[in-house]
Amino acid sequence: MPIVDTSLADVAALLRDAHDVTLLGHVNPDADAIGGALALGLALRARGADVRVSFARPAELQESLRRLDVEGLVVPPGKLPESEQVLVAVDTPAVDRLGVLGGRVEATKRAGGSVLVIDHHPSNTEYGTHNVVDVEAEASVVVVLRILDELGHELDANIARCLYAGLLTDTSGFRRASGDTHRMAARLVDAGAEANALSYELLDAHPFAWLPMLANVLSGTQLEPDGAQGLGLVHAVVTRELASDVRFEEVESVIDVIRATREAEVAIVLKETEPRTASQCWTVSLRGKSAIDVSAVAKACGGGGHRLAAGCTIDGTADEAMAALRKALADAPRL
Ligand code: AMP
Ligand code: MN
Ligand code: MN
């Protein structure tokens, strides 16, 4: 089992002594980051610790994830205490992915506190004093459950729901789940995770305004059969104008629609963000099917991620961003 650096027994010992814990997810936290942080946070709180969960941006948790926070553990960065005894970063491979909260890592270490890193990204830089990184785990919540088991903490419905949410989304609805992961899901359902309701909330549900946005974006979607080293590339652009009536969640869903394109090994969505400079700025989602390592493409453009799901941020026009991505795709390693 490729758990590196810190043994589960050492992590459990650290958490048994923890009485003041801040848990962080990466910027734009997903169900794996927030579900993992909340699950561990709920368990530590039940054991008597002062616990809070936060992330640098956006200002609020996306709506579909808010119901996971049954005990109101999530606080904005401005409401965090000055320091904490134990800082936990979940699903966050490098300090810069904590955004403005990244400085707490060094601050906690300097003050003699502990930093526990729980993750499954191959690019993890092990920036904690304690690191539990399993690059073969399909989600960070898998690692969180191992830690809860090591602590001997019994699953309840609130914790199971948080863990299930991370598993569900990081495996694309269990499509990429091993037998062990399905067995873990069965445990979570037995403990009270509502499989059908969570799938609907986290994967399917959108307001009606999603449909016209999608129609506009899909009408501009392009297929390049010769792209992605001849294996096919499909790409779409979501400008701020097209996304003006919908939330972040609706924009994030576009990649899951266009990646269904059979003729394309790689799918890319450019999502326009607030400009950081005078030029346009794009948050990019990349998805592969099986043959090309898209994390290498994202990395070449300043981002990162997993072999089949990665992302980056690129300044410039949409055409310039696509040109940079095509160039990186041409050099990307085959799997
Ligand atoms: P997304 O398309 O936003 O769902 O991102 C897919 C995966 O790519 C995430 O799970 C992250 O691991 C990674 N990722 C996305 N954006 C970045 C970034 N700017 N830098 C590093 N990794 C990223
Ligand atoms: Mn994540
Ligand atoms: Mn993850």
Side-chain angles (χ1 to χ4, degrees):
M1 192 165 52
I3 287 187
V4 295
D5 200 347
T6 310
S7 73
L8 286 177
D10 287 348
V11 171
L14 170 76
L15 294 176
R16 274 195 195 100
D17 284 342
H19 53 82
D20 172 41
V21 186
T22 300
L23 301 108
L24 303 178
H26 55 75
V27 293
N28 294 325
D30 50 21
D32 192 28
I34 281 300
L38 283 173
L40 187 56
L42 287 167
L44 295 176
R45 187 180 208 204
R47 303 172 66 86
D50 281 335
V51 171
R52 73 293 309 179
V53 171
S54 195
F55 51 88
R57 59 166 202 268
E60 277 195 72
L61 208 53
Q62 64 187 65
E63 218 173 310
S64 59
L65 298 179
R66 264 178 240 161
R67 71 197 59 216
L68 298 177
D69 185 18
V70 286
E71 293 195 9
L73 297 184
V74 173
V75 298
K79 291 262 167 67
L80 285 174
E82 193 97 319
S83 62
E84 51 272 313
Q85 177 205 8
V86 178
L87 184 71
V88 184
V90 182
D91 199 43
T92 307
V95 173
D96 68 330
R97 296 281 291 155
L98 291 171
V100 294
L101 292 173
R104 295 184 87 89
V105 171
E106 270 320 305
T108 301
K109 287 184 192 169
R110 236 182 292 120
S114 301
V115 177
L116 169 60
V117 171
I118 300 173
D119 192 24
H120 68 127
H121 289 86
S123 59
N124 192 285
T125 57
E126 296 177 44
Y127 52 92
T129 57
H130 299 65
N131 302 282
V132 194
V133 181
D134 181 353
V135 300
E136 282 171 16
E138 283 131 342
S140 294
V141 291
V142 172
V143 185
V144 171
L145 180 56
R146 281 189 206 137
I147 293 171
L148 293 179
D149 284 344
E150 185 72 23
L151 277 170
H153 194 89
E154 203 171 317
L155 294 177
D156 60 27
N158 291 337
I159 291 177
R161 191 181 299 123
C162 290
L163 296 173
Y164 192 92
L167 262 196
L168 175 73
T169 54
D170 265 33
T171 60
S172 301
F174 295 105
R175 287 176 182 85
R176 289 179 278 107
S178 66
D180 278 346
T181 301
H182 281 284
R183 275 182 283 276
M184 175 177 160
R187 256 185 89 190
L188 299 174
V189 170
D190 285 345
E194 307 86 349
N196 192 19
L198 285 166
S199 299
Y200 177 72
E201 276 304 322
L202 293 166
L203 301 179
D204 300 340
H206 292 286
F208 183 77
W210 177 62
L211 295 174
M213 180 278 289
L214 209 51
N216 285 325
V217 170
L218 295 183
S219 70
T221 299
Q222 290 178 29
L223 174 68
E224 297 178 17
D226 299 329
Q229 305 180 18
L231 300 176
L233 168 66
V234 64
H235 56 96
V237 178
V238 188
T239 59
R240 280 195 288 162
E241 192 187 348
L242 287 179
S244 60
D245 292 335
V246 297
R247 308 166 305 170
F248 175 77
E249 292 94 306
E250 281 67 64
V251 174
E252 292 303 295
S253 75
V254 172
I255 189 73
D256 287 322
V257 179
I258 73 156
R259 74 186 172 88
T261 306
R262 195 187 287 285
E263 297 93 328
E265 162 65 27
V266 175
I268 294 178
V269 175
L270 303 186
K271 299 164 283 185
E272 189 180 8
T273 61
E274 296 287 330
R276 292 182 300 186
T277 59
S279 67
Q280 280 175 298
C281 180
W282 306 92
T283 302
V284 182
S285 284
L286 297 114
R287 298 291 184 271
K289 291 208 172 85
S290 62
I292 291 184
D293 180 355
V294 293
S295 73
V297 180
K299 212 166 163 193
C301 295
H306 307 277
R307 284 176 302 178
L308 300 179
C312 57
T313 302
I314 305 181
D315 286 329
T317 65
D319 286 345
E320 286 164 352
M322 275 312 302
L325 289 160
R326 278 191 203 93
K327 189 163 176 294
L329 253 178
D331 297 332
R334 294 284 183 111
L335 293 173

